[in-house]
Amino acid sequence: MLKSKSVLIGVCGGIAAYKVCEVISFLFQAGADVRVILTETAQRFITPLTVSTLSRHQAYTDADFWQATHSRPLHIALGEEADLFLIAPLTANTLGKLTYGLADNLLTNTVLASRCPILLAPAMNTEMWEQPIIQRNWQELQQDHRYHSIGPGSGLLACDRVGSGRMAEPAEIITKLQSLAYTQGHQDFQGKRILISGGGTREHLDPVRFLGNPSTGKMALALAQAASDRGAIVTLVHGPIAPESLPISPNYKLISVVSAEEMEAVIMSYLVESEIIIMSAAVADVKPTDYSNHKLPKKELPTELKLEPVTDILAKLGTLKKGHQTLIGFAAQTGDIVKPALDKLRRKNLDVIVANPIDQPNAGFGTNTNKAVFIDGKEQQKIINSCSKLELAHQLFDFIIK
Ligand code: CTP
């Protein structure tokens, strides 16, 4: 999603500057053309040599701004070339300058000379971040459609305090940049309430053993990210997901459940307020008839498991949905993916179904990429070739809005 994009990064003077090195390195590996501006104080934390080595381009500083050797003014050239602009870490000082349109260094002049979306990743001590004047500036900037924000999250800060003000992690910044590269900042789902289910459910036999499936929740996390990056108010109901896969400072609500029954209860409680419902969860079809509250000793384990069906949540939603609601299901299939998906689309009264193969390389459970066929209520199909799950999620939202 970032291949051949021109990404400009402004680094301000904060300890989180060291984390930006990882962002630069990833962007380069993703095929982006990365240019970096270091403010004077940023150079106290990371050096131009670090940045130029990672980005394979000269690191720009205020000294370059005042050089008479450029064919065009540096801030104009950098600003015009950028497809995306990241400012990380955004300090209290630069936040104040951006709020008031001040331009007293290369970074702030380039902001004013550019037109692309700008992603702001603030980082500061909790007292500083919570100052009313800082919050006022921050809120003010959010009104400007050019600016997009990520974080700050909570955690251990360099001042030994645990609180808000911690810069978003590099992986989260990258994901947000990927979304921005796709949407160019358009908020076409602004204010829409979207309910998403994801991950696999577990049907326990006792507190230790369960019937489950290999779903990791990556597709649902990508859907939640893409939708909230397009302005939606998102609730993600998910089965057990590895903690390292979960975002640290998500801009959507996460509700964790274990069984299909718990998932059904949460989904039903959000149904009325939701305009779009996407069931990407790998929900169990059956559960053990008997459940033991204590761990069964090996010798007491049944030799045959008695099973009973669980509610088909999607089918139930298909009977309950109102005219203004859009219902989307997933059909993870082996072999021919379209025919069974079409059957589910009709049987469960869906508006769209995403048929995706689970027996092909780089698609299905646990992978970072996926491929699919989207089918709508008129049975029109769109084939999505292998791409990242985030890109597939954005393609799905394009399909839905059409
Ligand atoms: N689903 C659900 N509740 C269930 C099982 C499935 O809501 N108890 C949803 C899934 O989230 C997915 C869709 O139904 O969106 C398709 O799931 P799948 O298991 O493929 O559907 P089935 O109707 O059970 O089809 P099959 O007969 O092929 O198993």
Side-chain angles (χ1 to χ4, degrees), residues 24-187:
I24 299 169
S25 171
F26 182 90
L27 288 171
F28 175 78
Q29 289 172 51
D33 181 66
V34 194
R35 308 283 166 155
V36 184
I37 299 171
L38 293 170
T39 65
E40 201 166 321
T41 48
Q43 293 167 67
R44 307 274 182 118
F45 293 94
I46 55 172
T47 69
L49 181 61
T50 316
V51 164
S52 59
T53 308
L54 293 171
S55 68
R56 284 40 166 202
H57 287 295
Q58 171 192 357
Y60 299 101
T61 66
D62 286 348
D64 301 302
F65 192 30
W66 300 111
Q67 289 278 336
T69 51
H70 310 292
S71 54
R72 301 182 66 213
L74 186 57
H75 62 299
I76 309 285
L78 287 173
E80 274 180 9
E81 277 162 23
D83 295 313
L84 292 170
F85 202 156
L86 164 71
I87 304 185
L90 175 71
T91 54
N93 188 33
T94 299
L95 168 62
K97 290 183 199 175
L98 298 184
T99 311
Y100 291 97
L102 302 180
D104 65 347
N105 58 12
L106 176 59
L107 174 58
T108 46
N109 273 283
T110 309
V111 167
L112 295 185
S114 61
R115 284 282 166 267
C116 64
I118 300 182
L119 178 60
L120 302 172
M124 59 195 85
N125 154 275
T126 308
E127 306 301 347
M128 294 171 76
W129 175 247
E130 289 177 354
Q131 287 295 330
I133 186 72
I134 297 297
Q135 285 304 308
R136 205 168 66 206
N137 287 348
W138 182 241
Q139 294 311 322
E140 185 88 26
L141 272 192
Q142 311 293 310
Q143 306 307 314
D144 186 327
H145 294 309
R146 254 198 100 191
Y147 291 108
H148 303 268
S149 62
I150 181 158
S154 272
L156 178 65
L157 304 175
C159 54
D160 281 342
R161 205 183 141 156
V162 177
S164 55
R166 188 184 159 100
M167 193 176 83
E169 292 304 313
E172 292 178 280
I173 294 176
I174 294 294
T175 308
K176 189 87 182 183
L177 284 173
Q178 287 169 329
S179 259
L180 268 183
Y182 190 94
T183 63
Q184 281 298 302
H186 293 308
Q187 303 281 292

Side-chain angles (χ1 to χ4, degrees), residues 279 281 283-285 310-314 329-330 344 347-348:
M279 284 293 298
V283 191
D285 293 315
V310 301
T311 311
D312 187 322
I313 307 170
L314 184 61
F330 269 65
K344 284 170 204 185
R347 192 160 38 89
K348 303 195 188 191

